[in-house]
Amino acid sequence: MDGVGSFGAGRTGSTIDPISFAKQPQTILRVLSWIFSLVVFASIVNEGYVNLGSETLHCVFNKNADACNYGVFVGLVGLLACSFFFMLDYKFASISSVKDRKKAIMVEIGFSGFWAFLYFVSFCFLANQWSRTTAKELPLNQGADAARAAIAFSFFSIITWAGLTVRAVQKYMLGTDMTLFTTEHMDGSAPTQPYPSNSPVGETTETTETYQSPPFTENNAAPTYQVPIY
């Protein structure tokens, strides 16, 4: 079956306009989330560790390796997730099953909401550790810009991932108010048409037709032959 208007998507097999797809609010939020995750990940990986007079690298966030590891994890997984959901958004209209579309939307709602929460934790954690970092721990202010960028874009990611969660919930609500599908369509079976029953069970009307004799009966005698008179 084709999901006409199912969860905000058009008819299955319809042509996807790349320009219209790029202008959608969900696509814009997805791209922004991808960029913000990349900034958080790259900032910590490239400049999040400094060498303080030894060969050992220390995290710029108060020498707390957990802070850097957490920021790298959230940024990397968020980056990969944005790529996955971007492809899912583009191919969403080609999903013919309403149940599969519903599952995809529910996964997006759960992941986007959870990742918005993780970015909130990342923002609070990194900001707290950065506030405890002293100038002696960062000679020549090494890695300061990267630390501030990771904190700032963690905050921006909270907004974009929360926006993606809201958009996914809106799509889910659109899917729950479908009037173009019956129960049989939702179950994947074709709707059945009622047929009149030939069974006499439950029959309440009486037959009013009377028996009619066939056109040739005993009462219809064969015509007699009459001799012509000359």
Side-chain angles (χ1 to χ4, degrees):
M1 76 181 193
D2 43 56
V4 181
S6 170
F7 296 99
R11 184 184 297 271
T12 303
S14 58
T15 304
I16 301 176
D17 185 10
I19 298 178
S20 300
F21 175 76
K23 292 181 179 179
Q24 293 179 1
Q26 184 170 350
T27 304
I28 297 174
L29 288 173
R30 191 82 67 195
V31 173
L32 290 177
S33 298
W34 188 90
I35 295 174
F36 296 163
S37 297
L38 178 62
V39 172
V40 173
F41 171 74
S43 297
I44 299 177
V45 170
N46 292 333
E47 301 182 18
Y49 296 90
V50 294
N51 187 349
L52 301 178
S54 63
E55 296 181 355
T56 304
L57 296 177
H58 299 280
C59 178
V60 295
F61 295 99
N62 196 28
K63 296 183 179 180
N64 190 344
D66 293 336
C68 288
N69 293 336
Y70 184 84
V72 170
F73 167 75
V74 174
L76 178 60
V77 177
L79 182 68
L80 298 176
C82 285
S83 302
F84 170 77
F85 283 112
F86 182 85
M87 296 302 300
L88 181 63
D89 291 340
Y90 190 78
K91 297 293 185 180
F92 189 77
S94 62
I95 302 177
S96 59
S97 174
V98 175
K99 291 183 178 180
D100 291 341
R101 289 187 177 189
K102 183 177 181 181
K103 292 178 182 178
I105 293 297
M106 293 180 66
V107 169
E108 183 179 357
I109 292 174
F111 186 88
S112 298
F114 181 64
W115 225 248
F117 171 75
L118 290 187
Y119 265 115
F120 174 77
V121 175
S122 175
F123 169 74
C124 295
F125 188 23
L126 296 182
N128 176 266
Q129 293 300 310
W130 179 248
S131 64
R132 298 182 179 183
T133 304
T134 61
K136 295 181 180 180
E137 297 176 352
L138 295 178
L140 301 178
N141 210 21
Q142 296 179 2
D145 293 337
R148 296 189 185 98
I151 295 173
F153 283 94
S154 293
F155 176 78
F156 297 151
S157 296
I158 299 173
I159 301 174
T160 55
W161 282 98
L164 289 171
T165 305
V166 173
R167 292 292 301 176
V169 171
Q170 291 176 349
K171 289 172 64 177
Y172 181 83
M173 297 303 295
L174 287 175
T176 58
D177 191 25
M178 290 183 301
T179 58
L180 299 176
F181 297 94
T182 61
T183 305
E184 290 81 3
H185 281 108
M186 295 296 294
D187 295 337
S189 59
T192 57
Q193 297 293 337
Y195 292 96
S197 175
N198 295 326
S199 175
V201 179
E203 187 177 286
T204 57
T205 58
E206 296 181 356
T207 305
T208 57
E209 297 181 357
T210 58
Y211 177 79
Q212 296 181 356
S213 59
F216 300 100
T217 60
E218 297 177 351
N219 296 331
N220 295 332
T224 59
Y225 178 78
Q226 296 179 358
V227 178
I229 303 173
Y230 297 97

